[in-house]
Amino acid sequence: MEGSRRLTFDGRRLTYEERGKPEGIPIFMLHGTPGSRVGPRPRGAVLYRLGVRLITFDRPGYGGSTRLQGRSVGSVAGDVERIADHLGIERFAVIGRSGGGPHALACAALLPHRVTRVAALVSLAPPGAEGLDWFGGMTRSNIVEYMAALAGLNHLTEILTPAAHAIRSDPAHLISGLYDELPEADRRVVANPGIRAMLLENYAEALRDTAAGWIDDAIAFCSPWGFDPADITAPTLVWHGEKDRFSPADHSRWLASRIPTARMTVHPEAAHFGALNVLPDMLPWLANQERII
């Protein structure tokens, strides 16, 4: 079941992968920013033992998927639905980490008849979230990126295109460039050889041809999302590390306060990349096996 596959529609290509148990509980996992379908994920043996069929895909503009300029966060719901239809999957759970968090919530809000459960790890909140200091506690590199996104496509392209080129030449460039901004908790996570190798593979695939996916993600985060988190009716788990400086924990607190079905967990000693360690623990809950996280 493993290996990349492609789905073509309306002149556009989506590249996706499946891992785990073929007849298992289907769970879509939505990657971070920048990211790709090969981003950090539980090992196939873990997925099989849990009875999970994990589906990942490249958002438009990343890896092997065609760009969709002007897409919103909510646009992802249509892509997930097309892949699910193609695979003959009627009902499924969704999980998203970092930049994948808002996209996972979009699926729950816009596909209520299909999404069984949703988890958003270290997610951003929508721009203009009432009562939230959106940039409060955020690291400088992310503030620069999102301010550029607010300034428009051309300005952001000027910033992220050379950054993507540097990462293409050396995928470790992204981690090393952020190292000074990483809290100690994140430094410990990315020092793990296995996680570091997955991150490097992820960044290399995400930006192998272009910075388009990264650019379009950033603009989408800073534009109207195309849905209201308050409309989510599926059971929702929101997780964050208190020491996160890339998407500060107050973003998840805001989301949890708006989503009627949300359950909030904040780990006091974890930061942004700590979500990679807890991701496997989310799968039993997403598969409705009722393990307490």
Side-chain angles (χ1 to χ4, degrees), residues 80-290:
V80 167
E81 188 165 42
R82 288 183 181 97
I83 295 172
D85 288 345
H86 176 70
L87 296 175
I89 298 170
E90 180 59 33
R91 300 269 284 165
F92 49 84
V94 187
I95 183 170
R97 181 188 66 82
S98 188
H103 291 94
L105 296 174
C107 294
L110 299 174
L111 303 173
H113 56 298
R114 304 193 72 166
V115 172
T116 57
R117 293 189 170 204
V118 60
L121 285 61
V122 295
S123 179
L124 288 168
E130 185 178 358
L132 174 67
D133 180 0
W134 207 83
F135 290 109
M138 189 178 288
T139 190
R140 181 181 179 279
S141 61
N142 272 17
I143 293 175
V144 169
E145 179 179 321
Y146 295 134
M147 290 298 291
L150 290 168
L153 176 63
N154 291 338
H155 186 49
L156 183 62
T157 300
E158 290 176 359
I159 291 176
L160 293 188
T161 296
H165 177 75
I167 295 166
R168 250 191 321 275
S169 301
D170 177 14
H173 178 82
L174 181 55
I175 296 176
S176 60
L178 294 175
Y179 194 80
D180 288 344
E181 296 182 318
L182 292 178
E184 183 58 34
D186 275 344
R187 293 183 181 184
R188 288 194 297 269
V189 175
V190 301
N192 179 288
I195 288 179
R196 190 178 184 88
M198 286 191 290
L199 286 171
L200 297 184
E201 180 188 16
N202 175 47
Y203 299 144
E205 177 61 16
L207 306 170
R208 68 181 192 188
D209 297 319
T210 174
W214 192 1
I215 292 166
D216 294 343
D217 263 3
I219 290 177
F221 295 145
C222 296
S223 304
W225 279 11
F227 70 95
D228 186 345
D231 292 337
I232 295 173
T233 56
T236 303
L237 183 64
V238 180
W239 186 95
H240 222 110
E242 186 66 66
K243 297 182 182 300
D244 192 344
R245 295 297 173 260
F246 293 96
S247 51
D250 280 349
H251 284 246
S252 279
R253 291 190 178 97
W254 188 94
L255 289 167
S257 73
R258 298 309 193 273
I259 300 171
T261 56
R263 170 184 175 183
M264 176 78 184
T265 298
V266 178
H267 192 295
E269 298 303 321
H272 194 72
F273 287 98
L276 298 176
N277 289 332
V278 303
L279 195 153
D281 298 330
M282 306 289 177
L283 298 180
W285 181 84
L286 288 164
N288 202 18
Q289 297 170 9
E290 297 305 329

